[in-house]
Amino acid sequence: MFGGAGKKPKKDESLSSVMSPENAPTRSGGSSVTGFDPEGLERAAKAARELDASRNAASAIELVKTQEATKQHEAAAKRAEMDAYSQQLRQQNIQAEAEEARKTLEAQTQHDKHRSEYKDELERKRQVDMLNAQKYMQDEQLKKQEEMVERQEAMRRKTAEIEADLRTKTELAKTRAEAEGRIRQERENHDLIMDKVRLEAAENRNTVLKAVSDGGKMLGEGLSSY
């Protein structure tokens, strides 16, 4: 622990004098050992003073070496503990980051789900509105067709009424014309008959007059012959 140049204690030297700072190990040539730990030397000196009364200085030195090795092991264990703690912190950080990433992904998934549901709702509403619009247009078209049928029926009834009125007027006019024709024909026939009667009467009168005249002549001639 103190380098290969350490002195072995003489029989008349105490362990504390050997471990004193004045007798600190040196390199050949008288230069100090670089990296020497004064606190470690102080601890060793203290241990040496406590063991001055010991007859076995070599065993005491070995004890100091063992204590220093133990402290080194403890320091190594402490470093290992710190490394394990750092590893645990890193693991916790990784877990925390993973949890945060999971929460972020879950939130994003939930957001995407809500967005998809809202989009589906809008699409369903659009479909309903489109169906309602189509139904409204069909109802309006049906209403227009019914109104057109009603107008056509009204026109047909009006036309039928006009035609019936025309037929009635035509029949009346025809009947009137026929009646007037018959009356005119009957009047004409009456006139012809009357003319014929008058003519026949005239002819009969003339015949009678001629017969009377002829009879008178014959009578006159007969009387004349007597």
Side-chain angles (χ1 to χ4, degrees):
M1 178 177 178
F2 299 104
K7 298 180 181 180
K8 291 184 178 180
K10 296 180 182 180
K11 291 182 179 181
D12 56 351
E13 291 179 332
S14 64
L15 182 60
S16 60
S17 64
V18 173
M19 299 302 296
S20 64
E22 300 86 51
N23 294 323
T26 59
R27 293 180 182 272
S28 59
S31 60
S32 298
V33 179
T34 59
F36 181 72
D37 184 5
E39 294 181 357
L41 179 61
E42 182 63 27
R43 289 194 300 270
K46 182 178 180 181
R49 285 194 298 271
E50 293 175 353
L51 296 175
D52 274 341
S54 176
R55 297 179 179 179
N56 195 349
S59 297
I61 294 173
E62 290 298 326
L63 178 60
V64 171
K65 290 181 179 180
T66 302
Q67 290 177 349
E68 288 299 320
T70 301
K71 291 182 180 295
Q72 291 179 2
H73 286 306
E74 291 176 353
K78 190 67 175 178
R79 287 194 298 273
E81 181 181 356
M82 294 299 295
D83 291 341
Y85 180 70
S86 298
Q87 182 66 24
Q88 182 181 1
L89 287 179
R90 286 194 295 271
Q91 186 65 26
Q92 291 177 352
N93 290 334
I94 292 173
Q95 292 177 354
E97 292 175 356
E99 179 66 15
E100 186 66 23
R102 185 190 66 78
K103 291 181 179 179
T104 301
L105 179 60
E106 182 178 356
Q108 183 64 35
T109 302
Q110 192 71 15
H111 175 72
D112 293 341
K113 180 182 178 181
H114 290 165
R115 184 177 179 182
S116 178
E117 291 176 351
Y118 179 70
K119 185 177 179 181
D120 292 341
E121 182 179 357
L122 289 179
E123 180 63 21
R124 288 193 297 271
K125 186 176 182 300
R126 189 184 70 83
Q127 292 291 336
V128 171
D129 292 340
M130 185 174 66
L131 291 175
N132 290 334
Q134 290 178 353
K135 184 177 183 302
Y136 174 77
M137 293 178 64
Q138 291 175 354
D139 292 341
E140 287 296 316
Q141 185 67 23
L142 180 61
K143 182 178 178 181
K144 290 180 180 179
Q145 291 177 356
E146 291 176 350
E147 290 176 353
M148 182 179 295
V149 170
E150 290 179 358
R151 288 195 299 268
Q152 291 176 351
E153 183 65 21
M155 291 177 63
R156 187 190 66 78
R157 289 194 299 267
K158 186 66 175 178
T159 302
E161 291 175 358
I162 293 173
E163 290 177 351
D165 185 62
L166 287 175
R167 282 195 299 269
T168 301
K169 290 180 178 180
T170 301
E171 291 294 331
L172 290 174
K174 181 179 179 181
T175 302
R176 187 181 297 110
E178 291 177 352
E180 291 176 353
R182 284 195 301 270
I183 293 171
R184 187 172 52 254
Q185 185 66 37
E186 289 176 357
R187 184 180 295 116
E188 290 176 355
N189 292 336
H190 176 71
D191 293 340
L192 290 175
I193 293 171
M194 292 304 294
D195 291 340
K196 183 178 180 180
V197 168
R198 282 193 296 271
L199 180 61
E200 290 179 351
E203 289 179 352
N204 290 332
R205 187 185 59 183
N206 292 331
T207 303
V208 170
L209 291 174
K210 185 179 179 182
V212 170
S213 177
D214 291 342
K217 288 180 179 180
M218 290 178 64
L219 182 60
E221 290 179 356
L223 292 174
S224 297
S225 61
Y226 291 108

